[in-house]
Amino acid sequence: MVWSDDTVVECISTKFGTFGVIAEIYEPPHVEDDQNWLLITKMIGYGLSIILLGIFGFSILASKDMWEMFHILAMNFSFALLLADVFMILSEIPYIRENHDLCTLIGWGINLFYAATGTLLLFLTFSVFLATTSGIIGGYIGVYLSLGWGIALLMFGVNVFFNLDIMGDDPRYLCDNYLYNDGLS
């Protein structure tokens, strides 16, 4: 298929014969533009979050006194959430939304770092639970970090495997040329 609209389909073929065309009528999703106050509120929230997470993470990184299991897990959690917030801010840039490849890459970053945030928080709470109930306060940091980041990477890989064809299509800025020419051919 080279081009189509509601009534006509133009195709190129390397063989002669009779062909049937089955077409799905595609109606691009419509999403209302964000109001300015909402965008400003999001940017202030993400910006403040990035600043506070950076202070928290780098203060643990700089102080050797806080290099124990709980603080190292919390530092990894804070850096994962910080990077997820950075990717969320980048996703608001119109140029990135309009570019299919950049939109896909930013979406991958959001997906990966929010998944890592969730898994690292799971292992942080699990380690606190074990410390509270059993008195186990160390020795498992390698396991927790490996599983935290590893499960996040696995979830990210599964998501990319099953959803790669729809990644990068921001409904607020779908490019008609990509959608109707490149995306469906």
Side-chain angles (χ1 to χ4, degrees):
M1 182 180 82
V2 177
W3 178 84
S4 72
D5 66 12
D6 290 339
T7 58
V8 177
V9 175
E10 182 180 332
C11 297
I12 296 176
S13 176
T14 59
K15 298 179 182 179
F16 291 111
T18 305
F19 297 93
V21 176
I22 299 174
E24 178 181 347
I25 297 173
Y26 178 79
E27 197 170 311
H30 176 70
V31 178
E32 297 291 329
D33 289 335
D34 288 341
Q35 296 177 359
N36 286 337
W37 70 268
L38 184 59
L39 181 63
I40 291 168
T41 304
K42 285 194 293 189
M43 291 302 121
I44 290 171
Y46 285 128
L48 187 61
S49 176
I50 288 169
I51 291 168
L52 294 175
L53 287 167
I55 291 170
F56 177 74
F58 284 113
S59 64
I60 292 172
L61 192 61
S63 175
K64 297 289 184 189
D65 295 333
M66 290 193 279
W67 279 40
E68 42 81 22
M69 182 172 67
F70 305 111
H71 283 100
I72 292 174
L73 278 168
M75 178 185 67
N76 276 269
F77 167 80
S78 69
F79 286 143
L81 187 55
L82 184 145
L83 288 171
D85 288 348
V86 167
F87 279 101
M88 285 299 292
I89 288 176
L90 291 174
S91 73
E92 293 292 334
I93 299 172
Y95 177 75
I96 290 175
R97 286 185 177 173
E98 293 168 1
N99 186 317
H100 182 264
D101 297 329
L102 287 177
C103 191
T104 301
L105 288 174
I106 296 301
W108 284 358
I110 293 168
N111 184 288
L112 174 63
F113 291 115
Y114 274 125
T117 298
T119 56
L120 289 166
L121 182 60
L122 171 75
F123 286 108
L124 178 60
T125 56
F126 181 70
S127 67
V128 171
F129 173 76
L130 284 181
T132 304
T133 59
S134 303
I136 300 171
I137 58 170
Y140 293 104
I141 186 64
V143 174
Y144 293 150
L145 287 178
S146 298
L147 285 174
W149 285 102
I151 291 172
L153 284 168
L154 182 65
M155 291 181 346
F156 169 71
V158 168
N159 189 18
V160 169
F161 180 77
F162 286 111
N163 299 307
L164 184 61
D165 57 333
I166 61 171
M167 290 184 170
D169 293 336
D170 189 328
R172 293 171 285 193
Y173 293 93
L174 284 177
C175 178
D176 290 335
N177 291 334
Y178 171 77
L179 186 63
Y180 292 111
N181 292 333
D182 297 335
L184 296 176
S185 56

